Every structure is written in C-alpha cells, then in structure tokens.
Amino acid sequence: MTSPISPFFRLFLLRHANAAWPEPGGRDFDRALDRKGQADIRDVAIRAYAAGYQPDRIIASPARRCRETALAVVDVFGAAKVDFDEALYDQGPDAYRRLIERHVSEPALMIVGHNPMIEALAGQFAKEQPAELAFGYPTAGLLVLDFERPARLKQKAAAVVDMIAPL
C-alpha cells in the first residue's frame, strides 16, 4: 500500500549556520562553521525534528559551511538523501528557483544555501513574512513553507508553516 500524496509540497529554506572568516589566503568556499554555528544548527535541527518536520531530500551548496550545516541536520534527522549542487554556491536566486522546480514532485525538500539567495526566495514565496525575518534572514534560520499541489512556485504562493531561528 502506498502512502497518500500530501496536498502540499513542503519547502524548507535553511541558511547555512555561522561560519568563521577565511584563513589568510584561504578561499570563501572553504570557510567552516565556527562554534556558534555548530551549536546553532544543532539547536535548530533538534527543534525542527521535535516539531515533526522531515525533509525527504536535502540539496545543499557544496561550500564547506553549507556541507557542514546539511550534515548536522542529517545527524539529527537520520536518513535523508543529501545532494550538493554547485549552482547553490555561485549562482543567484533564479538558479535556486530552477533547482526547486525540478523537485516539486517530492513531498518535502530542504535547500541549504547562502544569503542573499535564501532571503530572496523567502520574500518571493511566502504569503506573509515572519517577524523573525524583519531584520534579515538569520544564519541557521529555517523557514518552512507549504505550496498547494500542483505546486507552482509563484509569487506569494506559499503558506508560512514555521520559522525556526537560533535562540
């Protein structure tokens, strides 16, 4: 027996957790999470898990800080398929949108990426902006959005289900 298809496409928009500045001569791509970032993403992931959220697939930027953020989520949530896509590192919101459009048939997709792209998508998709975003999208911030099926990624088409920001 197959599970009934959800009437919603759930999208999780997760900005990578706080990262250290690059080492002298180091690349932005190689910036690791700092201690605050490690603690923040663990806190956000535990609270999301406790709320019953579960991504079926995670797609993250291959930048080290995003890889570490995605793997911290998997560490809390358990089995979830994780893919890394270069477009999430060095391209803009349109590339993020195209990537999401390719996966709207999935029940629940998590994107782990960078600002300003994550914040731009939140502004485009959310019917209303959560108060937590009034001063920008926080590092390790997780926005949970539901699109009615058939999912169309139109302006202001998603209901805000939750916003989990580090404490």
Side-chain angles (χ1 to χ4, degrees):
M1 184 164 113
T2 58
S3 304
I5 294 179
S6 168
F8 299 102
F9 164 62
R10 178 156 285 172
L11 178 63
F12 300 94
L13 294 176
L14 177 60
R15 182 179 176 196
H16 67 76
N18 203 58
W21 290 105
E23 297 293 322
R27 300 181 319 156
D28 174 73
F29 187 87
D30 297 323
R31 292 172 47 210
L33 297 184
D34 60 18
R35 285 193 177 142
K36 176 183 182 333
Q38 292 168 357
D40 285 351
I41 191 54
R42 183 142 180 91
D43 168 61
V44 167
I46 288 169
R47 289 168 44 217
Y49 182 81
Y53 300 131
Q54 180 68 47
D56 295 292
R57 177 185 296 262
I58 299 171
I59 304 176
S61 161
R64 182 173 176 185
R65 59 195 176 274
C66 288
R67 284 193 326 262
E68 290 177 358
T69 298
L71 295 175
V73 169
V74 170
D75 187 48
V76 170
F77 280 74
K81 183 169 174 35
V82 181
D83 295 309
F84 299 97
D85 193 302
E86 192 72 35
L88 296 179
Y89 176 68
D90 61 0
Q91 296 181 28
D94 289 340
Y96 278 59
R97 185 186 189 103
R98 285 190 300 274
L99 183 72
I100 295 165
E101 284 173 345
R102 290 197 307 266
H103 294 278
V104 295
S105 64
E106 308 238 0
L109 173 68
M110 179 180 285
I111 298 293
V112 181
H114 306 270
N115 251 8
M117 286 70 74
I118 292 289
E119 187 169 359
L121 290 175
Q124 289 174 18
F125 295 151
K127 289 179 184 174
E128 70 282 335
Q129 288 295 301
E132 294 90 345
L133 298 183
F135 299 103
Y137 208 109
T139 55
L142 176 65
L143 181 62
V144 183
L145 300 169
D146 277 351
F147 292 84
E148 289 186 27
R149 290 201 185 273
R152 291 188 178 80
L153 303 180
K154 298 187 303 188
Q155 290 278 2
K156 310 297 181 194
V160 173
V161 176
D162 203 352
M163 177 69 200
I164 303 174
L167 298 174

Coordinates of all heavy atoms in Angstrom, one line a residue, residues 13-19 33-34 36-48 65-66 69-70 72-73 110-115 118 133 136-143 163-167:
L13 N 13.7 26.2 3.7 CA 14.8 27.1 3.3 C 15.7 27.3 4.5 O 15.3 27.9 5.5 CB 14.2 28.4 2.8 CG 13.4 28.4 1.5 CD1 12.9 29.8 1.2 CD2 14.3 27.8 0.3
L14 N 16.9 26.7 4.4 CA 17.8 26.8 5.5 C 19.1 27.6 5.1 O 19.8 27.2 4.2 CB 18.2 25.4 6.0 CG 19.2 25.3 7.1 CD1 18.8 25.9 8.4 CD2 19.6 23.8 7.3
R15 N 19.3 28.7 5.8 CA 20.6 29.4 5.6 C 21.7 28.7 6.4 O 21.4 28.3 7.5 CB 20.4 30.9 6.0 CG 21.7 31.6 5.7 CD 21.5 33.1 6.1 NE 22.8 33.8 6.0 CZ 23.1 35.0 6.5 NH1 22.2 35.6 7.2 NH2 24.3 35.5 6.3
H16 N 22.8 28.6 5.8 CA 23.9 27.9 6.5 C 24.2 28.6 7.8 O 23.9 29.8 8.0 CB 25.2 27.9 5.7 CG 25.8 29.2 5.4 ND1 26.5 29.9 6.4 CD2 25.8 30.0 4.3 CE1 26.9 31.1 5.9 NE2 26.5 31.2 4.6
A17 N 24.7 27.8 8.8 CA 25.0 28.4 10.1 C 26.2 29.3 10.1 O 26.9 29.4 9.1 CB 25.2 27.2 11.1
N18 N 26.4 30.0 11.2 CA 27.5 30.9 11.3 C 28.9 30.3 11.0 O 29.2 29.3 11.5 CB 27.5 31.5 12.7 CG 28.2 32.9 12.7 OD1 27.7 33.8 12.0 ND2 29.2 33.0 13.6
A19 N 29.6 31.0 10.1 CA 30.9 30.4 9.7 C 32.1 31.3 10.1 O 31.9 32.6 10.3 CB 30.9 30.3 8.2
L33 N 32.1 26.0 9.7 CA 31.3 26.6 10.7 C 32.1 26.9 12.0 O 33.0 26.1 12.3 CB 30.2 25.6 11.1 CG 29.1 25.2 10.1 CD1 28.1 24.3 10.7 CD2 28.5 26.4 9.5
D34 N 31.8 27.9 12.6 CA 32.5 28.2 13.9 C 31.7 27.5 15.0 O 30.7 26.9 14.8 CB 32.7 29.7 14.1 CG 31.4 30.5 14.2 OD1 30.3 29.9 14.4 OD2 31.5 31.7 14.0
K36 N 29.8 28.8 17.4 CA 28.4 29.3 17.4 C 27.6 28.6 16.4 O 26.5 28.2 16.6 CB 28.4 30.8 17.3 CG 27.0 31.4 17.3 CD 27.1 32.9 17.0 CE 25.8 33.6 17.0 NZ 24.6 32.9 16.7
G37 N 28.1 28.5 15.1 CA 27.4 27.9 14.0 C 27.0 26.5 14.3 O 25.9 26.0 14.0
Q38 N 28.0 25.7 14.8 CA 27.8 24.3 15.2 C 26.7 24.2 16.2 O 25.8 23.3 16.1 CB 29.1 23.7 15.6 CG 30.1 23.6 14.6 CD 31.5 23.2 15.1 OE1 31.7 23.1 16.3 NE2 32.5 23.0 14.2
A39 N 26.7 25.0 17.2 CA 25.7 24.9 18.3 C 24.3 25.4 17.7 O 23.3 24.7 18.0 CB 26.1 25.8 19.5
D40 N 24.3 26.4 17.0 CA 23.1 27.0 16.4 C 22.4 26.0 15.5 O 21.2 25.7 15.6 CB 23.3 28.3 15.6 CG 23.6 29.5 16.5 OD1 23.4 29.3 17.8 OD2 23.9 30.5 16.0
I41 N 23.1 25.3 14.6 CA 22.4 24.4 13.7 C 22.0 23.2 14.4 O 20.9 22.6 14.1 CB 23.3 24.1 12.5 CG1 22.5 23.3 11.4 CG2 24.5 23.3 12.8 CD1 21.2 24.0 11.0
R42 N 22.7 22.7 15.4 CA 22.2 21.6 16.2 C 20.9 21.9 16.9 O 20.0 21.2 16.9 CB 23.3 21.1 17.2 CG 22.9 19.9 18.0 CD 24.0 19.0 18.2 NE 23.6 17.8 19.0 CZ 23.1 16.7 18.4 NH1 23.1 16.6 17.1 NH2 22.8 15.7 19.2
D43 N 20.9 23.1 17.5 CA 19.6 23.6 18.2 C 18.5 23.7 17.2 O 17.4 23.2 17.5 CB 19.9 25.0 18.8 CG 18.7 25.7 19.3 OD1 18.0 25.2 20.1 OD2 18.3 26.8 18.7
V44 N 18.7 24.3 16.1 CA 17.6 24.4 15.1 C 17.1 23.1 14.6 O 15.9 22.8 14.5 CB 18.0 25.3 13.9 CG1 17.1 25.3 12.7 CG2 18.2 26.8 14.4
A45 N 18.1 22.2 14.3 CA 17.7 20.8 13.8 C 17.0 20.0 14.8 O 16.0 19.4 14.5 CB 19.0 20.1 13.4
I46 N 17.4 20.1 16.1 CA 16.6 19.4 17.2 C 15.2 19.9 17.3 O 14.3 19.2 17.4 CB 17.4 19.5 18.5 CG1 18.7 18.6 18.4 CG2 16.5 19.1 19.7 CD1 19.6 18.8 19.6
R47 N 15.1 21.3 17.3 CA 13.7 21.9 17.4 C 12.9 21.5 16.2 O 11.7 21.3 16.3 CB 13.9 23.4 17.6 CG 14.4 23.7 19.0 CD 14.8 25.1 19.2 NE 13.9 26.1 18.7 CZ 14.3 27.3 18.2 NH1 15.6 27.5 18.1 NH2 13.5 28.1 17.8
A48 N 13.4 21.5 15.0 CA 12.7 21.1 13.8 C 12.3 19.6 13.9 O 11.1 19.3 13.6 CB 13.5 21.4 12.5
R65 N 30.8 25.4 4.6 CA 29.8 25.8 5.7 C 28.4 25.2 5.4 O 27.7 24.9 6.3 CB 29.8 27.3 5.8 CG 29.4 28.1 4.6 CD 29.8 29.6 4.8 NE 29.6 30.4 3.6 CZ 30.4 30.6 2.6 NH1 31.5 29.9 2.6 NH2 30.1 31.4 1.6
C66 N 28.0 25.1 4.1 CA 26.7 24.5 3.8 C 26.8 23.0 3.9 O 25.8 22.4 4.4 CB 26.3 24.9 2.4 SG 25.8 26.6 2.2
T69 N 26.5 22.3 7.6 CA 25.2 22.6 8.0 C 24.2 21.4 7.7 O 23.5 20.9 8.5 CB 24.6 23.9 7.4 OG1 25.5 25.0 7.9 CG2 23.2 24.2 7.8
A70 N 24.3 21.0 6.4 CA 23.4 19.9 5.9 C 23.7 18.6 6.7 O 22.8 17.9 7.1 CB 23.6 19.7 4.4
A72 N 24.9 18.3 9.7 CA 24.4 18.4 11.1 C 22.9 18.1 11.1 O 22.4 17.5 12.1 CB 24.7 19.8 11.6
V73 N 22.2 18.6 10.1 CA 20.8 18.3 10.0 C 20.6 16.8 9.9 O 19.7 16.2 10.6 CB 20.1 19.0 8.8 CG1 18.7 18.5 8.6 CG2 20.1 20.5 9.1
M110 N 14.5 20.2 1.3 CA 15.3 21.2 2.0 C 16.4 21.7 1.2 O 17.2 21.0 0.6 CB 15.9 20.6 3.3 CG 16.7 21.7 4.1 SD 17.4 21.0 5.7 CE 15.9 20.9 6.7
I111 N 16.5 23.1 1.1 CA 17.6 23.7 0.4 C 18.5 24.4 1.5 O 18.0 25.1 2.3 CB 17.0 24.8 -0.6 CG1 16.2 24.2 -1.6 CG2 18.2 25.6 -1.1 CD1 16.9 23.3 -2.6
V112 N 19.8 24.0 1.4 CA 20.7 24.6 2.3 C 21.6 25.5 1.5 O 22.4 25.0 0.7 CB 21.6 23.6 3.1 CG1 22.5 24.2 4.0 CG2 20.7 22.6 3.8
G113 N 21.5 26.8 1.7 CA 22.2 27.7 0.9 C 22.7 29.0 1.6 O 22.8 29.1 2.8
H114 N 22.9 30.0 0.7 CA 23.5 31.3 1.2 C 22.6 32.4 1.0 O 21.7 32.4 0.2 CB 24.7 31.5 0.2 CG 25.7 30.4 0.2 ND1 26.8 30.3 1.0 CD2 25.8 29.4 -0.7 CE1 27.5 29.2 0.7 NE2 26.9 28.6 -0.3
N115 N 22.9 33.5 1.8 CA 22.2 34.7 1.5 C 23.1 35.5 0.5 O 24.3 35.2 0.4 CB 22.2 35.6 2.8 CG 20.7 35.6 3.3 OD1 19.9 35.0 2.8 ND2 20.5 36.5 4.3
I118 N 18.7 32.8 -0.2 CA 17.7 32.3 0.6 C 16.7 33.3 1.0 O 15.5 33.1 1.0 CB 18.3 31.6 1.9 CG1 19.2 30.3 1.5 CG2 17.3 31.2 2.9 CD1 18.3 29.2 1.0
L133 N 12.1 37.5 10.3 CA 12.9 38.0 9.1 C 12.9 39.5 9.0 O 13.4 40.0 8.0 CB 12.3 37.3 7.9 CG 12.4 35.8 7.8 CD1 11.9 35.3 6.5 CD2 13.8 35.3 8.0
G136 N 16.4 40.7 8.5 CA 17.2 39.8 7.7 C 17.1 38.4 8.1 O 16.5 38.0 9.1
Y137 N 17.6 37.5 7.2 CA 17.5 36.1 7.4 C 18.7 35.6 8.3 O 19.8 35.7 7.9 CB 17.6 35.4 6.0 CG 16.8 34.1 5.9 CD1 15.7 33.9 5.2 CD2 17.3 32.9 6.6 CE1 15.0 32.7 5.2 CE2 16.7 31.7 6.5 CZ 15.5 31.6 5.8 OH 14.8 30.4 5.7
P138 N 18.4 35.1 9.4 CA 19.5 34.7 10.4 C 20.3 33.5 9.9 O 19.7 32.6 9.2 CB 18.7 34.4 11.7 CG 17.4 34.0 11.2 CD 17.1 34.8 10.0
T139 N 21.5 33.4 10.2 CA 22.3 32.2 10.0 C 21.6 31.1 10.7 O 21.1 31.3 11.8 CB 23.8 32.4 10.4 OG1 23.8 32.8 11.7 CG2 24.5 33.4 9.5
A140 N 21.6 29.9 10.1 CA 20.9 28.7 10.7 C 19.4 28.9 10.8 O 18.7 28.1 11.4 CB 21.5 28.3 12.0
G141 N 18.9 29.9 10.2 CA 17.4 30.1 10.2 C 16.7 29.1 9.2 O 17.2 28.9 8.1
L142 N 15.7 28.5 9.6 CA 14.9 27.5 8.9 C 13.5 28.0 8.7 O 12.7 28.1 9.6 CB 14.9 26.2 9.6 CG 14.1 25.1 8.9 CD1 14.7 24.7 7.5 CD2 14.0 23.8 9.8
L143 N 13.1 28.3 7.4 CA 11.8 28.7 7.1 C 11.1 27.5 6.5 O 11.6 26.9 5.6 CB 11.8 29.9 6.1 CG 10.4 30.4 5.7 CD1 9.6 31.0 6.8 CD2 10.6 31.5 4.6
M163 N 8.9 29.3 11.4 CA 10.3 29.8 11.2 C 11.0 29.5 12.5 O 10.6 29.9 13.6 CB 10.2 31.4 11.0 CG 11.5 32.1 11.0 SD 12.4 31.7 9.4 CE 14.0 32.1 9.9
I164 N 12.1 28.8 12.3 CA 12.9 28.4 13.5 C 14.3 29.1 13.3 O 15.0 28.9 12.3 CB 13.1 26.8 13.5 CG1 11.7 26.2 13.6 CG2 14.0 26.5 14.7 CD1 11.8 24.6 13.5
A165 N 14.5 29.9 14.3 CA 15.8 30.7 14.3 C 16.6 30.3 15.5 O 16.0 29.9 16.5 CB 15.6 32.2 14.3
P166 N 17.9 30.4 15.5 CA 18.7 30.0 16.7 C 18.2 30.9 17.9 O 17.9 32.1 17.7 CB 20.1 30.3 16.3 CG 20.1 30.3 14.8 CD 18.7 30.8 14.4
L167 N 18.3 30.3 19.0 CA 17.9 31.1 20.3 C 19.1 32.0 20.7 O 20.2 31.7 20.4 CB 17.5 30.1 21.4 CG 16.3 29.3 21.1 CD1 16.1 28.3 22.2 CD2 15.1 30.1 20.9

